[in-house]
Structures are given as C-alpha cells and as structure tokens.
Amino acid sequence: MGIASLVLGIIAIVIGIVSAGLFGWLGAILAIIGIILGAVGRKNPEKSGISTAGLVCSIIGLILCLIFYLACAACVGGLGTL
Amino acid sequence: MIVIGGLIANIIAVAILKKKKMDINDFIILESFGLLGAFIGAKLLYILVSANDIQWSRITEWSYLKSIMQGGFVFYGGFIGGIIMSFIACRIFKINFLSYANEVVFLIPLAHAFGRVGCFMAGCCYGIPYDGPFSVVFPENSFAIHGAKLFPVQLFEAVGLVFVSIILLLSKKVLHNKYQIELYFIIYGCLRFVTEAYRYDAARGVFWGLSTSRWISILMIIIGLTFIIRKNPFHCTK
C-alpha cells in the first residue's frame, strides 16, 4: 500500500509540474488513489513511514494538479456551470 | 479559490478531529473517496446537462476529448457523486460516516463559498441582467456577458453559504444537533433553489420548467427531511 501510494504520489507531482493543463484531471485521480492507499497503509504501524511519505507526496501532487488544471480550465473556457 | 477553500477546510477539520481524538486516517479515506466521486459526478452531470451541445461524433478525437475534460463541472453532480463514494468507503472500511460528517459538515459550505468567489473572479455562473445596487459589469476576457450590468449571484450565494456554515456550526455547538448533514441538505437545498432564479448562464439543463439544479435542490430537501424522520442509511459502525 505504502509503496503504491508513494509511486502514485510521485507520478502525480510529475504530471502536476510538467503537464497539469493537459493531464491534470488524470494526475488528480492518481493522487486521490495515492492518498487513499497512503491512509490505509498508515494503519499498519510497520509500514506507516513509507505510507506517510506516499500520503504527503499524493497530497502535494493533488494540489499541484488541481491548481494548474483549474487555472488551465479557466483559461481555455467552456466552463458552463459549477 | 476552491483549492484555497479546500485547504483551509481540511486544516480546520484535522484540528477538530485531533481535538476529538478521532482517527485522521479514516477521515482521509472518507474524504478521498468523496473527492474521487465528486470529480466523476461533477463531470458526468456537466456532460449530461450539456449533452445537446457536445459533438458526440468527435468524442474519440483527442483534442476534442481534452477540451471536454477541461470544460465545466456541476456542483450538484459532485455532491451526489461524493456522497455515493463516501457511502461505498463507509461500507468497505466499516467507518462511521456520520460521526465524522457531523463534526465537519459545516466546512463544506465554507469551502464552497470560496469556490463561488472564484466563480465571481472568473465570471462564470453569472447572474441575470440587473441595474440596481451592487450590479457588476464583467471585463471582456471573463466568461460572463460583456458590457452588461449583471446581478452578482456568485457573491450572493457565497454570503449565503457562509451563513449556512455559521448556522451549522451554531446548531452543533449550541443545540448539539445530531442531524447536521440532514440540516445541511435542507438549508443548502433552499439556498440553491432561490439563487437558481438569479442565474443567467447557459447550460442550465431545464426540465419541466425548472433547472437541473432546482430539481436536485428539491430532491435534497426531501432526502434531508426523510433522513430526519427515518433512520439514516449512513449509520454503519465498526
């Protein structure tokens, strides 16, 4: 759980930095799954360290992806209703 | 703004749950499932209400699919998707959804209020033409109609949402209300039903004279009242 969370978190950070405008939605979904896996992994005391790292990476990835994705969506247009 | 609102709401939620000595991991799981459901639900309902405007023959084109994915979201779709996914998480991980929701539900309208201020800044979700006090004229590069005086419905709803948040907080602290989420359903349903009358943006998805969001508002009020009268299905404990 912890390793999967960390991997997904790192992928989300990379997407967030490199191409959040295009794949921000995908990065956000991966980051959310990473957060879930990290939180589940933290319940196991033996693997709570790597799970916490995965959780933190996923949260950072989610914030990056959402900020750039929403900013890009606002620029591109077509935001009919919210 | 919605990201800032979400961050502030989460910081407050974690502080409250730590004070109450509740499991933060369970809260993170519930919230993440809710967020995933919200993302999918908001996008699906947007596609549903604007189905007539979407060129379905071009849906397989990458550039067109990308433009749809970068397009709008409908709050109510996100709300319903979030509730469904939270319900699934509550069943899978045997988490008592209501114990967490009752503590932090007042933060949902607070974060939503930030989102509405963001709408005002972008010019989306704009109001009806109006020439009275507080009317606003949006600049050319915004989503709203340019050059016309419009009712600032986004700010009107943001103020309403802050009041909803205060009412929910007071009902928890002063009245020790056990029906926080049901109360939120009813109050927000009423607020949204009213604010929909002042919305002028396209893609409202009108059915039988009422917009999609108004129908969902009515449904929310009915669900809130039903949950108060009957047993709430979210009562799943460890």
Side-chain angles (χ1 to χ4, degrees), chain B residues 125-132 135-136 138 145 148-154 194-201:
Chain B
C125 314
Y126 51 89
I128 53 172
Y130 162 78
D131 194 15
S135 62
V136 286
F138 286 92
I145 301 167
K149 287 185 175 179
L150 302 174
F151 183 71
V153 68
Q154 308 98 322
V194 173
T195 57
E196 277 293 304
Y198 300 99
R199 292 270 296 257
Y200 198 59
D201 49 323

Side-chain angles (χ1 to χ4, degrees), chain B residues 171-187:
Chain B
S171 82
K172 174 72 184 167
K173 295 286 179 191
V174 180
L175 302 174
H176 303 291
N177 179 23
K178 289 179 181 174
Y179 298 102
Q180 287 288 93
I181 198 153
E182 292 86 346
L183 188 64
Y184 169 64
F185 271 46
I186 295 166
I187 302 177

Side-chain angles (χ1 to χ4, degrees), chain B residues 178-221:
Chain B
K178 289 179 181 174
Y179 298 102
Q180 287 288 93
I181 198 153
E182 292 86 346
L183 188 64
Y184 169 64
F185 271 46
I186 295 166
I187 302 177
Y188 181 68
C190 294
L191 175 72
R192 186 63 188 264
F193 193 88
V194 173
T195 57
E196 277 293 304
Y198 300 99
R199 292 270 296 257
Y200 198 59
D201 49 323
R204 315 288 322 135
V206 176
F207 299 101
W208 294 304
L210 292 177
S211 67
T212 314
S213 294
R214 276 192 149 176
W215 281 113
I216 300 173
S217 297
I218 294 169
L219 195 67
M220 268 180 83
I221 296 167

Side-chain angles (χ1 to χ4, degrees), chain B residues 52-104:
Chain B
N52 292 335
D53 303 324
I54 295 173
Q55 298 169 26
W56 293 102
S57 56
R58 290 180 60 201
I59 200 77
T60 50
E61 290 177 25
W62 172 243
S63 59
Y64 189 69
L65 182 67
K66 195 178 72 184
S67 70
I68 289 176
M69 287 310 292
Q70 285 177 331
F73 292 93
V74 179
F75 171 78
Y76 263 144
F79 187 80
I80 294 167
I83 292 282
I84 292 170
M85 284 298 279
S86 297
F87 184 70
I88 291 169
C90 144
R91 292 286 176 193
I92 293 173
F93 297 99
K94 303 273 186 283
I95 299 168
N96 187 344
F97 176 81
L98 282 184
S99 66
Y100 288 91
N102 279 338
E103 293 295 333
V104 299

Side-chain angles (χ1 to χ4, degrees), chain B residues 6-54:
Chain B
L7 279 174
I8 292 170
N10 271 293
I11 291 165
I12 299 171
V14 169
I16 292 170
L17 296 176
K18 273 192 174 176
K19 194 178 171 187
K20 297 267 178 184
K21 293 190 170 67
M22 295 171 87
D23 190 349
I24 302 291
N25 293 321
D26 281 348
F27 171 71
I28 294 171
I29 292 167
L30 268 182
E31 191 191 1
S32 303
F33 265 82
L35 201 60
L36 196 62
F39 189 88
I40 296 166
K43 180 54 75 179
L44 278 180
L45 194 58
Y46 171 74
I47 291 171
L48 197 71
V49 296
S50 55
N52 292 335
D53 303 324
I54 295 173

